[in-house]
Amino acid sequence: MGQTRSGEFTSAQIGRMGVIAGLQDGDFQLPDGHCFNIKNDTDSAVTLDIMPAGMDGYVTTRIDPGWNPEIVRAVRQSSLTGLDLKWGY
């Protein structure tokens, strides 16, 4: 396992995974505070506001189908429907 220049751990493999649910009701983050990658399990890219690891603010990011490289702390609430997003680390 490696680390980014800002000290965040990286891994080429996903060992733990779950569903990013409830974005229409509020922001999403893992209860234990772990950072994670996002998998878009649809055939189309979506644009979401994410909080990258090591940052305090949100940035608007295109999330392509499949696993995305960004290391994320939180995903902001979204009114988009038909999302099929997973978290993993």
Side-chain angles (χ1 to χ4, degrees):
M1 184 171 303
Q3 285 184 303
T4 66
R5 288 185 288 172
S6 64
E8 298 297 330
F9 286 101
T10 63
S11 173
Q13 297 83 26
I14 299 297
R16 201 161 251 205
M17 188 171 149
V19 175
I20 295 176
L23 282 181
Q24 292 185 337
D25 300 323
D27 297 352
F28 175 86
Q29 58 188 39
L30 296 178
D32 57 11
H34 279 293
C35 294
F36 54 92
N37 291 91
I38 297 175
K39 181 180 184 188
N40 177 355
D41 255 349
T42 69
D43 293 328
S44 301
V46 295
T47 300
L48 297 171
D49 292 336
I50 63 167
M51 183 181 300
M55 290 182 65
D56 290 327
Y58 285 91
V59 296
T60 302
T61 303
R62 176 185 165 120
I63 304 297
D64 289 313
W67 286 105
N68 287 260
E70 293 85 356
I71 303 170
V72 178
R73 281 186 18 201
V75 181
R76 182 175 276 163
Q77 179 177 357
S78 174
S79 61
L80 295 174
T81 59
L83 294 175
D84 186 4
L85 303 173
K86 310 290 190 305
W87 61 266
Y89 62 86

